[in-house]
Amino acid sequence: QTSDFARTLAPNTGRGSDHAWGANSMLFGGGVRGGQILGTYPDDLTDDGPRSLGRGRMIPTTSWDAVFLPLAEWSGATEGDLDNVCPNRDNFPAEHFFDAADVFEMN
């Protein structure tokens, strides 16, 4: 399950929060290597932190492509398919992506 819906860490003038970047991705199923958390949690969530855009808005540490690439590989996508599944993958270094064998039981 995945969602691109997130909220700012700081309240707005109405004491609510505004839309922001961020998400959690949870994978379920028999082929998933469970019991682990992948990705990097930011060390500094203050407005002075290196990932902060101010007002509680943070730049994510993990792209959607980092999660969807191993899912596509595990599902049998070919190298030619991957540009369609993850059109932004060339914007990241290879080490940014999760390895399919770290996420799924590979047979």
Side-chain angles (χ1 to χ4, degrees), residues 22-52:
N24 296 310
S25 298
M26 294 181 283
L27 301 174
F28 301 91
V32 175
R33 293 178 56 112
Q36 59 182 338
I37 296 174
L38 302 176
T40 304
Y41 192 81
D43 291 334
D44 186 346
L45 295 176
T46 68
D47 276 349
D48 296 325
R51 303 200 74 80
S52 176

Side-chain angles (χ1 to χ4, degrees), residues 26-96:
M26 294 181 283
L27 301 174
F28 301 91
V32 175
R33 293 178 56 112
Q36 59 182 338
I37 296 174
L38 302 176
T40 304
Y41 192 81
D43 291 334
D44 186 346
L45 295 176
T46 68
D47 276 349
D48 296 325
R51 303 200 74 80
S52 176
L53 295 174
R55 290 189 54 262
R57 296 170 299 150
M58 300 295 184
I59 298 170
T61 59
T62 307
S63 70
W64 288 103
D65 301 84
V67 177
F68 288 136
L69 187 72
L71 179 60
E73 291 172 336
W74 178 77
S75 298
T78 66
E79 183 64 28
D81 295 328
L82 296 179
D83 286 334
N84 292 322
V85 174
C86 299
N88 296 314
R89 72 182 179 137
D90 289 336
N91 295 331
F92 301 97
E95 61 271 9
H96 174 76

Side-chain angles (χ1 to χ4, degrees), residues 7-19 55-56:
R7 290 293 187 176
T8 58
L9 299 176
N12 60 25
T13 56
R15 293 192 278 180
S17 61
D18 295 318
H19 290 269
R55 290 189 54 262

